[in-house]
Amino acid sequence: MEDRVRLAFAWHLRYDSDQKQTVFNRVLHLIQQIPDAPEQNMVTALLLGLSTPQLSASQEHQLKEMLKMTNVVREIEKDAAEKAAKEAIQHVAQKMLRLNIPVEQIAEVTQLSLAEIDALRSELAR
């Protein structure tokens, strides 16, 4: 974590003006390699907050877009995980239906509604 905070300060070291964009691109690339999205957001926000006066409009825009993208990716991952969990529960419910376990027990175990279980039963009948 400490190294990541230092990364946000890398932009503030002294560089020739022609190196600034290269350094910015490298810092941006390194931030994108941080596997933990909240930490990636924190370092990006820190860089943005500390560096706004020195950033070009394009660089500032890039950092803001990066913050948006990590949030979008996080939402997509969350939605995918929720969908996978729901599908796994439905699969268990279908197995329980095949074993002729009472619908009320299936609902209790899976937390699915009776209507959802009925829909699964209809799928099995096809």
Side-chain angles (χ1 to χ4, degrees):
M1 176 68 150
E2 188 176 309
D3 289 338
R4 304 230 165 90
V5 173
R6 285 189 195 136
L7 177 60
F9 285 101
W11 175 252
H12 295 274
L13 299 175
R14 294 190 184 265
Y15 300 101
D16 295 335
S17 59
D18 60 325
Q19 290 181 310
K20 279 283 200 183
Q21 186 60 45
T22 303
V23 171
F24 178 81
N25 291 340
R26 181 72 179 136
V27 168
L28 203 61
H29 176 74
L30 290 171
I31 290 172
Q32 291 169 333
Q33 302 307 306
I34 298 171
D36 182 60
E39 191 173 338
Q40 189 181 83
N41 276 348
M42 190 261 318
V43 175
T44 304
L46 187 59
L47 178 61
L48 187 60
L50 293 171
S51 305
T52 299
Q54 290 91 16
L55 295 172
S56 69
S58 171
Q59 292 166 334
E60 185 176 344
H61 177 74
Q62 281 180 280
L63 288 172
K64 287 179 180 177
E65 285 300 310
M66 199 162 108
L67 279 173
K68 285 183 203 173
M69 288 308 297
T70 55
N71 290 332
V72 168
V73 168
R74 199 171 326 140
E75 282 299 314
I76 290 169
E77 288 172 344
K78 179 183 169 199
D79 290 347
E82 288 172 0
K83 182 180 178 186
K86 182 77 170 184
E87 287 172 356
I89 289 169
Q90 290 172 339
H91 183 70
V92 168
Q94 286 176 328
K95 283 185 173 186
M96 294 174 81
L97 285 167
R98 284 188 199 103
L99 294 171
N100 294 319
I101 295 174
V103 175
E104 293 78 18
Q105 287 181 335
I106 297 172
E108 185 178 331
V109 169
T110 62
Q111 300 297 304
L112 293 173
S113 70
L114 295 177
E116 289 172 307
I117 296 169
D118 268 349
L120 291 173
R121 187 186 341 222
S122 296
E123 284 180 29
L124 287 175
R126 292 183 203 166

